[in-house]
């Protein structure tokens, strides 16, 4: 508009006519140019607004769908400017979210399958009070426990197994599932605990030879008729044994390499006899005693010992609840790592 006005003035200033006529012509030219440029301005404003509003409306709608969990809608990219780039990025983001959703669904299925592999309920055995549970920090994990019945019906013994596969996630869950299958298959046949664990270790080492994976295990057999227990320790933390007669908590120790490292390793069985009423055995994984609070302090086994001593007169389920209750209080506000 400014250039147009200057050109009009230059054209009229060159004409030889009176001032009133020149002023009238300038007035007409200015009005004409004003209306033309206002019209052009309105048209351009509408055009730009339309070109911005339509893609931004579509972007906002797509983001709303993403927020509500719908990832099918795509932004229609028609330009190569910043708006088009934004649309491309949003489309890539929705594709990534769709892939993550599929992965999450797969993990949820894996979690359901793995949880179903754990004991559905605690065994009801005369003379014994047993309780167990497993709480994963992720959808899947490598912590494992099981109850296995061995021997003939009139002389059945129960094996309680607790294991911990190195690391977390799907690979650990797969190794845990493999070890579970090997243990169940092997305990269905005759043999002492040391033979069972040695055979399972041989199979497991063959499967994980190239992966570097391994698994710790504590396997305990309870012989009610002869009032004794036997155990094999494969690199796992010792179980805690409480005797009300001495009110002392000791560890069921023993040597043994973690499973999957050396397929030729032979494990040793340990025995404790003269079992008495009221004795308590607690088996677990390092997810309990290595749990950290806000001050980066470990829960530790000493707290476990105190819990067992304090609740020695309670049932197994109550002791289990007391452990998790104190653990939750200790780690308040901290995400579980194991």
């Amino acid at each position: 508009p400014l250039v147009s006005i200057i050109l009009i003035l230059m054209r009229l200033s060159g004409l030889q006519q009176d001032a009133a006529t020149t002023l009238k012509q300038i007035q007409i030219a200015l009005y004409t140019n004003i209306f033309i440029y206002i019209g052009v301005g309105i048209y351009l404003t509408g055009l730009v607004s339309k070109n911005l509003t339509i893609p931004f409306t579509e972007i906002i709608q797509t983001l709303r769908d993403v927020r509500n969990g719908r990832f099918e809608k795509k932004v229609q990219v028609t330009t190569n400017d910043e708006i088009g780039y934004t649309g491309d990025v949003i489309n890539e983001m929705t594709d990534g979210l769709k892939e993550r959703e599929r992965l999450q669904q797969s993990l949820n299925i894996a979690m359901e399958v793995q949880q179903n592999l754990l004991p559905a309920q605690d065994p009801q055995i005369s003379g014994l009070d047993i309780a167990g549970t497993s709480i994963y920090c992720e959808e899947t994990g490598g912590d494992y426990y099981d109850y296995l019945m061995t021997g003939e019906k009139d002389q059945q013994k129960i094996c309680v197994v607790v294991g911990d596969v190195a690391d977390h996630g799907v690979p650990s869950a797969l190794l845990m599932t493999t070890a579970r299958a090997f243990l169940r298959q092997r305990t269905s046949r005759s043999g002492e605990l040391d033979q069972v664990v040695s055979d399972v270790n041989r199979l497991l080492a063959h499967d994980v030879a190239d992966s570097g994976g391994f698994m710790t295990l504590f396997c305990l057999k309870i012989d009610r008729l002869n009032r004794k227990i036997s155990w094999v320790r494969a690199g796992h933390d010792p179980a805690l044994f409480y005797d009300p007669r001495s009110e002392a908590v000791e560890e069921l120790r023993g040597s043994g390499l973690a499973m999957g490292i050396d397929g030729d390793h032979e494990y040793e069985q340990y025995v404790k006899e003269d079992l008495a009423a009221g004795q308590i055995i607690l088996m677990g994984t390092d997810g309990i005693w290595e749990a950290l609070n806000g001050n980066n302090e470990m829960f530790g086994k000493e707290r476990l010992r105190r819990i067992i001593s304090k609740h020695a007169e309670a049932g197994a389920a109550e002791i289990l609840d007391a452990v998790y209750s104190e653990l939750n209080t200790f780690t308040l506000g901290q995400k579980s790592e194991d």
Side-chain angles (χ1 to χ4, degrees), residues 273-284:
E273 299 181 334
D274 190 27
L275 296 185
Q279 291 173 332
I280 298 169
I281 302 172
L282 188 146
M283 303 163 64

Side-chain angles (χ1 to χ4, degrees), residues 305-325:
R305 293 186 176 94
R306 289 200 296 267
I307 294 171
I308 295 172
S309 300
K310 180 180 178 181
H311 298 86
E313 300 297 325
E318 295 173 76
I319 296 175
L320 191 65
D321 290 341
V323 170
Y324 278 106
S325 176

Side-chain angles (χ1 to χ4, degrees), residues 161-231:
V161 181
V162 171
D164 187 1
V165 179
D167 210 349
H168 309 294
V170 175
S172 298
L174 292 173
L175 182 53
M176 168 267 198
T177 305
T178 302
R180 175 187 182 273
F182 287 159
L183 276 167
R184 283 187 162 247
Q185 187 271 339
R186 182 58 185 84
T187 52
S188 65
R189 309 199 322 261
S190 61
E192 294 296 327
L193 277 187
D194 53 350
Q195 297 172 313
V196 170
V197 177
S198 295
D199 289 345
V200 171
N201 172 63
R202 193 172 299 110
L203 295 170
L204 207 59
H206 180 269
D207 280 0
V208 301
D210 298 326
S211 68
F214 63 90
M215 175 181 185
T216 65
L217 189 79
F218 193 97
C219 189
L220 175 82
K221 181 186 287 186
I222 304 174
D223 186 346
R224 293 170 297 147
L225 296 180
N226 298 310
R227 305 179 70 85
K228 68 177 183 180
I229 57 173
S230 54
W231 69 90

